[in-house]
């Protein structure tokens, strides 16, 4: 996708207070990248290179990748992982899969194996402790995969332990209100791609009247031409949100569908965790 259609990469910096975070983990830095759609069309090499450089420049303790590495055919994943292996973090790189990573028959296994082959561990309904036993990192299967199963994973974590959850689709935040989620990291929406300042993602409005929009016009509106539901909660399309007592952050992603982005630049997110009593958004 040409630079004029994607806009300039933006690095978003957040500071997130985490209840019961051990003092030794305060100032832990996490970098999130998502929605690559690496297929030769939707993500340019220059943007991918800039995103990797920005991630490394942050000197993160942890890098998380929240799905949609490919669009349809899984073959491009092999080229993508050769670039992603240049990512650098102190304790590792972890990933979850998105809906597009399941689309093609056999893609789930192929994408996961390719990522694992370069040291990027794919989490699929499991909890791990890369920063020590006092902070859990949870990776969930994609909401639409048929495998989304948070119950046994969340039940396995001590209730006193804070946890970061990777879940591609932000709609899962509604279901995850049943558990303590200190921070959920999602993507999937691309931020809506076309955003009207003061109003929000264009698609959130046009989907309500989609059937009345002429067919020749539909193809120029992201997602609408395919009839995809995308998400129910467009109010969570990007940025930081309080969902019940949990926090959700939605990254705008790197890949871009036609006709491009407007007021919705591609994103690398740098998150700093701080030791603090639970409170409102920061």
């Amino acid at each position: 996708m040409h630079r004029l259609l994607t806009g300039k990469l933006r690095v978003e910096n957040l500071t997130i207070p985490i209840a019961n975070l051990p003092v030794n983990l305060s100032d832990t830095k996490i970098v999130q990248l998502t929605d690559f759609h690496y297929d030769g069309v939707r993500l340019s090499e220059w943007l991918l290179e800039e995103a990797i450089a920005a991630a490394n420049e942050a000197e993160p303790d942890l890098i998380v990748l929240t799905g949609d590495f490919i669009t349809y055919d899984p073959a491009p994943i092999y080229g993508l992982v050769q670039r992603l292996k240049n990512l650098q973090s102190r304790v590792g790189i972890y990933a979850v899969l998105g809906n597009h990573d399941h689309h093609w028959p056999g893609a789930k296994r192929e994408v996961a194996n390719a990522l694992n082959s370069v040291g990027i561990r794919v989490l699929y309904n499991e909890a791990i402790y890369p920063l020590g036993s006092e902070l859990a990192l949870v990776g969930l299967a994609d909401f639409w995969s048929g495998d989304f199963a948070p119950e046994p994973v969340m039940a396995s974590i001590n209730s006193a332990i804070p946890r970061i959850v990777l879940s591609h689709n932000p709609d899962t935040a509604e279901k995850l209100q049943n558990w303590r989620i200190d921070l959920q990291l999602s993507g999937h929406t691309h931020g809506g791609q076309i955003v009207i300042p003061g109003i929000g993602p264009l698609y959130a409005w046009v989907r309500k009247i989609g059937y009345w929009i002429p067919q020749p016009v539909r193809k120029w509106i992201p997602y609408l031409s395919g009839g995809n539901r995308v998400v129910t909660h467009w109010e969570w399309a990007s940025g930081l949100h309080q969902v019940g007592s949990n926090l959700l952050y939605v990254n705008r992603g790197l890949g871009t569908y036609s006709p491009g982005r407007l007021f919705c630049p591609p994103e690398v997110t740098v998150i700093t965790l701080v030791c603090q009593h639970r409170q409102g958004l920061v």
Side-chain angles (χ1 to χ4, degrees):
M1 186 66 69
H2 194 278
R3 187 185 297 262
L4 291 176
L5 299 179
T6 63
K8 184 179 179 181
L9 179 71
R10 183 178 297 172
V11 177
E12 303 287 2
N13 290 278
L14 292 84
T15 299
I16 303 293
I18 302 291
N20 310 121
L21 185 72
V23 173
N24 65 300
L25 292 182
S26 191
D27 296 325
T28 290
K29 192 177 292 184
I30 301 174
V31 164
Q32 180 197 10
L33 298 93
T34 193
D35 291 85
F36 299 86
H37 290 280
Y38 189 78
D39 58 7
V41 176
R42 294 171 179 86
L43 176 61
S44 64
E45 295 293 341
W46 66 261
L47 180 55
L48 178 58
E49 184 176 337
E50 283 188 7
I52 291 171
N56 290 341
E57 185 177 351
E59 299 183 341
D61 297 291
L62 195 66
I63 293 178
V64 297
L65 314 176
T66 48
D68 278 1
F69 296 92
I70 58 172
T71 305
Y72 299 114
D73 182 355
I77 190 61
Y78 300 103
L80 177 60
V81 297
Q82 291 307 307
R83 290 153 180 78
L84 294 181
K85 71 180 183 181
N86 294 317
L87 289 168
Q88 301 167 12
S89 71
R90 184 174 65 84
V91 298
I93 305 169
Y94 297 88
V96 292
L97 302 183
N99 55 299
H100 279 274
D101 303 319
H102 292 80
H103 182 86
W104 199 279
K108 167 189 164 183
R109 180 184 297 273
E110 194 165 354
V111 171
N113 286 345
L115 290 166
N116 286 324
S117 74
V118 295
I120 299 172
R121 181 172 171 183
V122 176
L123 305 177
Y124 208 82
N125 292 329
E126 59 186 303
I128 60 170
Y129 300 83
L131 291 162
S133 60
E134 295 176 291
L135 178 65
L137 179 67
V138 177
L140 298 175
D142 181 65
F143 197 28
W144 295 350
S145 68
D147 294 333
F148 179 74
E151 294 89 349
V153 186
M154 302 310 293
S156 72
I157 305 170
N158 186 314
S159 61
I161 294 177
R163 69 288 311 265
I164 309 298
V165 173
L166 312 181
S167 183
H168 177 70
N169 190 325
D171 272 352
T172 59
E174 183 175 6
K175 293 187 177 293
L176 292 173
Q177 289 182 83
N178 293 324
W179 299 276
R180 171 186 177 176
I181 308 294
D182 294 87
L183 178 63
Q184 174 180 335
L185 298 177
S186 298
H188 182 60
T189 64
H190 301 194
Q193 288 200 181
I194 297 176
V195 175
I196 308 302
I199 296 177
L202 176 64
Y203 181 71
W205 294 90
V206 299
R207 69 189 289 264
K208 300 176 182 178
I209 58 171
Y211 290 108
W212 300 99
I213 297 175
Q215 192 65 38
V217 177
R218 290 188 189 187
K219 67 180 180 179
W220 297 107
I221 302 175
Y223 308 121
L224 188 63
S225 60
N228 294 330
R229 179 172 58 86
V230 188
V231 288
T232 299
H233 293 282
W234 274 104
E235 69 272 23
W236 303 337
S238 66
L240 191 63
H241 305 274
Q242 190 99 38
V243 183
S245 59
N246 296 335
L247 282 183
L248 164 69
Y249 186 80
V250 184
N251 179 307
R252 295 183 300 269
L254 296 173
T256 301
Y257 280 88
S258 178
R261 293 174 178 265
L262 181 65
F263 301 116
C264 188
E267 174 180 352
V268 170
T269 314
V270 180
I271 301 160
T272 301
L273 307 182
V274 294
C275 183
Q276 195 169 331
H277 292 299
R278 215 167 202 186
Q279 54 180 258
L281 305 185
V282 172

